[in-house]
Amino acid sequence: MNTALHAPQGARFLDGFVKLRFLPSLFGDDFMRAENNVYLYAARYLTNYNGGEWTFVHLEQGGGYMIPPDGTWRFENPENWSVAEVSADAAGIIITALVLNHRSWMYDRHDEEELCALFCRRHRQLMVWAETHPEAAAIFRALD
């Protein structure tokens, strides 16, 4: 398994003050709750996750994702019987995708068309990116 961060052309790791604009750009007006969901999902699905500094990745075609602290992560989802050892980068794609999907469904159910459309668009952008990832098979298996 490749544990290096996957950042070919078209993605950029953010630092400094640029990070402050990333979450509102990714999650819109829902950025505080969505960010919290990322950490809650990490605690739920990543074995031994207990916080840490996350890396933010902006995708050139739009959207992005959050990456948990470096290392190899064991992703377990008993709801779809998925278990995988993945890099931090792949774990970040999986967790961010789960949150984007969950929030898009939630806003669809609550007639919030703009936020639903934003989350659907961000999810599609992330899935296009995930197709190019060296761990694409594990990512899509986890999201199945």
Side-chain angles (χ1 to χ4, degrees):
M1 167 189 12
N2 180 2
T3 59
L5 293 179
H6 170 66
Q9 188 173 3
R12 177 177 82 200
F13 296 105
L14 304 179
D15 60 3
F17 290 110
V18 178
K19 287 176 78 170
L20 297 175
R21 293 191 306 259
F22 174 73
L23 293 175
S25 168
L26 181 62
F27 297 126
D29 292 342
D30 190 43
F31 74 94
M32 291 180 76
R33 284 180 288 203
E35 179 189 21
N36 189 48
N37 279 158
V38 168
Y39 305 136
L40 291 172
Y41 275 46
R44 180 178 181 182
Y45 296 116
L46 300 179
T47 304
N48 298 323
Y49 172 77
N50 61 359
E53 185 174 349
W54 287 61
T55 302
F56 298 161
V57 179
H58 175 347
L59 302 176
E60 190 175 273
Q61 82 277 9
Y65 60 102
M66 299 169 62
I67 302 173
D70 266 349
T72 300
W73 291 96
R74 181 177 174 87
F75 175 85
E76 293 186 39
N77 183 353
E79 294 171 14
N80 70 355
W81 301 286
S82 176
V83 176
E85 295 284 333
V86 294
S87 67
D89 192 55
I93 291 171
I94 294 166
I95 296 298
T96 305
L98 288 170
V99 170
L100 290 168
N101 186 343
H102 169 240
R103 301 212 61 83
S104 69
W105 279 101
M106 186 196 76
Y107 284 119
D108 179 60
R109 300 279 188 262
H110 291 92
D111 295 325
E112 293 279 348
E113 292 177 20
E114 286 181 35
L115 280 172
C116 179
L118 172 67
F119 281 93
C120 288
R121 184 172 61 251
R122 294 297 186 233
H123 189 270
R124 281 190 306 273
Q125 291 164 331
L126 185 55
M127 293 301 90
V128 167
W129 176 255
E131 290 173 355
T132 69
H133 197 279
E135 297 173 83
I139 292 167
F140 286 103
R141 220 174 10 258
L143 296 173
D144 188 18

